[in-house]
Amino acid sequence: MAMAVVDNFLFWFLSELCASETLLGLSLLFVALSEIPLFIYAGKIIARFGHAVVLCFVFACYVIRFASYSVLSSPWWVLPIELLHGVTFALMWATSVSYAKIIAPPSLEATMQGLLNGIYWGFGRGIGSVLGGQLYGLYGARWVFRFCALGCFLCGCTYALAEWFTRRHERNQSASRRKSDSGEATVELVERTRQTELDMAASHEDGIDG
């Protein structure tokens, strides 16, 4: 949804700021150049920080990107802002594809990738275009970008909390299993000790009888 707003309405907003066609072309160049290093090093970044941390960083960059759009006074300032596209698309997409592959059942990997593409390129962009257009007509471009910044912030917080609770639950389950295994091992050790004592007592009695 967020990327649909950028793709559909950013140039309209820049045109309202009297941006030249040269500037619009340069902004696309900056967008393309920003993707290259992130696609190249995405795998190393994900391996170093993990999917959850990277996605939270993506949400943060989306918030910065939209908030920066909303306060633009000169259209030329869009060029450094567009460098964030490398994070908000290239790194985001590489992380999403990788995560979808990990969580997919072995026989449904292709289905999961298709579902991801359908949600992002189809449903998400469609809803973003329609909703963004309505808000643009009612409130103008600056408020559209502010709404998007707020939405990305809320989504990022929700995702971070969900991830935290999930990991906490997994840690608790792991601790419970370790405690259970430790308890079983203790019981087994006690039983072995008692059996050893009984065997030694029996041997001692046999020795006395002999």
Side-chain angles (χ1 to χ4, degrees):
M1 293 175 63
M3 190 57 65
V5 172
V6 175
D7 290 344
N8 291 319
F9 305 113
L10 178 60
F11 276 15
W12 280 11
F13 175 57
L14 294 177
S15 297
E16 292 176 0
L17 297 179
C18 301
S20 64
E21 294 181 356
T22 299
L23 176 58
L24 299 181
L26 283 174
S27 70
L28 292 177
L29 176 63
F30 274 56
V31 164
L33 292 176
S34 69
E35 293 179 357
I36 297 174
L38 271 301
F39 272 129
I40 293 174
Y41 294 105
K44 293 182 178 179
I45 295 172
I46 296 169
R48 174 66 178 83
F49 297 102
H51 294 83
V53 173
V54 172
L55 289 176
C56 287
F57 180 63
V58 169
F59 278 116
C61 288
Y62 257 127
V63 173
I64 295 172
R65 188 177 184 183
F66 281 120
S68 299
Y69 287 152
S70 71
V71 296
L72 273 182
S73 57
S74 170
W76 285 94
W77 281 108
V78 77
L79 296 181
I81 298 173
E82 291 303 84
L83 294 176
L84 290 172
H85 179 81
V87 175
T88 57
F89 176 71
L91 186 58
M92 176 278 300
W93 189 247
T95 306
S96 300
V97 170
S98 174
Y99 189 66
K101 181 180 179 180
I102 291 174
I103 65 174
S107 60
L108 296 176
E109 291 183 0
T111 302
M112 185 64 74
Q113 295 297 328
L115 183 63
L116 173 64
N117 277 269
I119 292 175
Y120 182 83
W121 296 105
F123 180 79
R125 293 180 71 88
I127 295 297
S129 298
V130 174
L131 184 60
Q134 294 295 320
L135 293 174
Y136 197 110
L138 292 172
Y139 302 106
R142 293 187 187 277
W143 277 104
V144 171
F145 296 136
R146 289 166 186 162
F147 289 141
C148 287
L150 177 61
C152 290
F153 175 77
L154 294 176
C155 288
C157 290
T158 302
Y159 173 76
L161 287 173
E163 187 68 25
W164 182 79
F165 279 115
T166 299
R167 293 191 178 190
R168 182 182 179 184
H169 179 67
E170 291 175 351
R171 286 196 298 268
N172 290 338
Q173 283 189 328
S174 178
S176 298
R177 284 194 296 268
R178 287 196 299 268
K179 185 177 180 180
S180 177
D181 293 342
S182 177
E184 292 176 359
T186 301
V187 172
E188 183 178 355
L189 179 61
V190 170
E191 291 179 351
R192 287 182 179 179
T193 302
R194 290 182 61 186
Q195 185 64 40
T196 301
E197 292 175 349
L198 292 174
D199 292 342
M200 291 177 64
S203 298
H204 182 67
E205 290 177 358
D206 290 343
I208 294 175
D209 294 339

